[in-house]
Amino acid sequence: MALALRCLRALPSLLHRSCFAVTRGLLRAPRGRPALLLEGCRQCGQQMLLSRQLATKKAKGKGQSQAKVNISAALVEDIISLEETSEAMQAVIEALKEDFSRNLNIRTSPGALDHITVMTKDGKFPLNQLGQISQKSPQLMIVNMTNFPESTAAAAKAIRESGMNLNPEVDGTVIRVPVPRVTREHRESLAKLAKQSTNKSKEALRKVRSKSITQVKKFKSKVSEDTIWLLEKQIQQMADEAAAEMDKLLAAKTKELLG
């Protein structure tokens, strides 16, 4: 009996040494085939790591609505570039920020006119590159077009068609821009536009997510279901974080517009 117990105690160590010997045998592959064997080991190691991550995430997420996933991009670079997916989602967020900045301002400062695009015979230019913009009073802004007098008419047209409900008046090379008093109704209208812009951006975000998941599913026959599951979870998590950032931008913009 004692002898049997000693044998059982030694069994794990023997198994470990046996596995190590097999591994060393794979690494010392016959001449002419080392690359193939080592590649097989690398893929096997990656799969083991992903499976371990899957088990960990499922265990941690048990009883929770969302499980945090963080896959090493290097392990799945042959399937999809998570960095490119992240950049595409960030680009949607930046476009929303730009829209908020350019088109959803309470018209009380010259900066509201800065990025209006003027079409000239030499191409498109921001208004602030063609004229000097200043504020004469809370209800009047002036655009001095002395440096580019030939673009005065085009600048006035751009201001009129900017969607900011402005009606500029041209006096030589000076454009007078009366600024209507900002009513509560106008503020609420801008807040609704901000909500609409956010919804459009979320739709663009969903397209990025769907495109990425479609790319992952192309590899269903080449990689395990666990790997596909992890990647889909990671992409969805990235999309959720981007949508949350958009919600924060909308909340801040709404507060700014409604005062």
Side-chain angles (χ1 to χ4, degrees):
M1 186 67 177
L3 178 61
L5 287 174
R6 282 199 295 274
C7 290
L8 285 174
R9 290 194 192 100
L11 183 58
S13 177
L14 289 171
L15 287 174
H16 175 76
R17 286 198 294 271
S18 297
C19 291
F20 181 69
V22 171
T23 302
R24 291 186 62 185
L26 282 175
L27 291 176
R28 294 175 180 173
R31 183 172 299 175
R33 295 187 181 180
L36 179 61
L37 289 174
L38 288 175
E39 176 63 20
C41 290
R42 185 183 71 83
Q43 293 178 354
C44 180
Q46 290 180 352
Q47 188 58 52
M48 289 175 63
L49 180 56
L50 286 169
S51 298
R52 190 181 301 117
Q53 288 178 330
L54 177 66
T56 301
K57 304 311 173 187
K58 284 184 175 180
K60 287 183 178 179
K62 199 171 183 180
Q64 300 176 4
S65 58
Q66 291 292 332
K68 192 74 172 176
V69 179
N70 187 20
I71 303 173
S72 171
L75 296 180
V76 293
E77 59 185 2
D78 293 335
I79 302 174
I80 189 173
S81 172
L82 292 176
E83 183 178 353
E84 288 181 4
T85 299
S86 177
E87 288 174 354
M89 291 182 179
Q90 190 59 40
V92 176
I93 295 173
E94 293 302 319
L96 180 62
K97 289 180 181 179
E98 184 72 10
D99 183 43
F100 281 178
S101 176
R102 290 192 178 190
N103 304 318
L104 296 174
N105 284 310
I106 301 298
R107 298 181 303 271
T108 56
S109 69
L113 304 181
D114 280 353
H115 299 292
I116 290 178
T117 302
V118 181
M119 175 65 76
T120 73
K121 62 180 182 179
D122 297 318
K124 296 180 179 180
F125 298 92
L127 181 59
N128 63 353
Q129 289 186 12
L130 301 174
Q132 296 177 337
I133 307 172
S134 59
Q135 188 156 8
K136 202 74 173 178
S137 71
Q139 272 67 56
L140 180 64
M141 286 188 283
I142 300 293
V143 182
N144 190 328
M145 298 293 296
T146 302
N147 293 333
F148 297 92
E150 69 280 5
S151 300
T152 301
K157 180 182 179 183
I159 295 170
R160 189 176 295 109
E161 296 176 355
S162 65
M164 298 175 67
N165 194 30
L166 298 172
N167 188 25
E169 303 165 357
V170 178
D171 182 10
T173 58
V174 173
I175 304 174
R176 301 179 186 278
V177 186
V179 181
R181 292 186 179 278
V182 180
T183 63
R184 184 69 183 178
E185 181 180 0
H186 179 63
R187 288 177 178 270
E188 291 175 353
S189 176
L190 289 177
K192 287 180 181 179
L193 288 175
K195 177 66 174 177
Q196 292 174 8
S197 294
T198 304
N199 288 338
K200 288 180 181 179
S201 294
K202 285 186 176 181
E203 178 60 31
L205 179 66
R206 284 191 286 271
K207 289 180 180 179
V208 174
R209 181 203 62 194
S210 297
K211 181 180 178 181
S212 298
I213 289 179
T214 299
Q215 172 67 19
V216 168
K217 286 182 176 179
K218 290 179 181 179
F219 288 81
K220 270 191 172 181
S221 62
K222 299 179 181 180
V223 298
S224 70
E225 291 183 5
D226 288 354
T227 302
I228 298 297
W229 184 90
L230 273 170
L231 281 169
E232 289 180 354
K233 196 78 172 176
Q234 174 81 22
I235 292 166
Q236 182 61 54
Q237 181 178 295
M238 292 162 64
D240 290 343
E241 290 172 355
E245 186 172 348
M246 289 181 183
D247 287 337
K248 289 180 182 179
L249 290 172
L250 175 60
K253 194 65 181 180
T254 301
K255 183 178 180 181
E256 172 192 326
L257 293 172
L258 296 180

